[in-house]
Amino acid sequence: MSDGPPASLAPPLGLLAELTHRCPLACPYCSNPLALERQGAELSTAAWAGVFAEAADLGVLHVHLSGGEPASRRDLVELTAAAHAAGLYTNLITSGIGTDAVRLARLRDAGLDHVQLSIQDTEAESSDHIAGYPGAFARKQAFAREVTALGLALTINAVVHRANIGRVGAMIETAATLGAGRLEVAHTQYYGWALRNRAALMPTRAQVERAMADVEAARPRHVGRMVIDLVVPDYYARRPKPCLGGWGRRSLNVTPSGRVLPCHAAETIRGLEFWSVRDRHLAEIWAKSPAFEAFRGTGWMREPCRSCSLRELDFGGCRCQALALAGDAAAADPACDLSPHHARMLALAEEASADPGIRYEYRGRGHLRGAPVPIPAG
């Protein structure tokens, strides 16, 4: 019997390769697991090369080289070359820390197609404070210019929360000045460490609405030069987003140690069985893994999702969010206003956004020393 996916199951389009959980930054909105995987458990260069080859055979078109900070891997150039040799479009998701101009040129020559750079703010002091890394702002600015100077495509990713939401307009102009062809304005998704810092990160509804209006106003000015994507905040939504296009439908994640997940936060759902690339081929995992089958399609749904006319558009929303807020991964995503837990989600947002200050808990570093940062006006 073939280990490949059944004919009715389309192949995934993208692979998120979490090369490592090591990272020099300590962003309070980090969505990586609370318990990070250790360096000693990471897949080898040869093992990752095998994963890339299997992904290409499965039908994957592009790979996102991510982490943590992928530059923490000394073999990043070799890994990029392996992904390129497999025929995959390569996107490096990076903080810009740990990669100088020489290494970046080597990455380009190895086949790197695209760079996605995170920024924390448009003001140096705030940016460094959010990242938990002095000097990060200046290094990111220099890195972005090196990317475009080498002819690489650049996307800027700006995670938005209470401390920087008032400068969304400035982020858009900064991204354009840096030569980005795409900007992702992504409101914080509350998983992992971000959930722990929810009270310090949550903006008010008025701030969210103003920021979304800023994005819409800026889009016409940048038509033909920069695409602006907007990831709206679930806590103030009326309808849920399909989780990565639907659980187990379009993409897969491979953790640093080789476990294969339907989404980045799937391991928060206890009881799911995750198969590893150390033991099985990627095609078999995609087609038959119990974790992927758990919420694939619509057969698992309960009411109100089961009879909803949008069930094959949003696929029930986010399973991890349903677990976190409703206590049941099979419940309707509380972001949907048909969910019995929707009012509680709104109440959590309002309660968190009313916190009188911003005091982050950094991974491995405790709380910020000194006074909380005041909430921006508006």
Side-chain angles (χ1 to χ4, degrees), residues 297-298 301 304-317:
T298 59
M301 291 181 176
C305 300
R306 181 179 291 274
S307 60
C308 180
S309 61
L310 301 177
R311 64 185 179 278
E312 293 190 6
L313 294 177
D314 60 37
F315 293 95

Side-chain angles (χ1 to χ4, degrees), residues 82-102:
H84 176 73
L88 300 173
Y89 183 90
T90 55
N91 175 38
L92 177 65
I93 302 177
T94 180
S95 66
I97 307 297
T99 302
D100 59 16
V102 173

Side-chain angles (χ1 to χ4, degrees), residues 160-161 188-192 194-195 197-198 201-203 235 321 324:
V160 176
H161 45 87
T188 298
Q189 304 295 298
Y190 294 95
Y191 310 113
L195 185 60
N197 279 298
R198 182 173 61 191
L201 295 168
M202 185 71 68
Y235 277 64
Q321 189 157 261

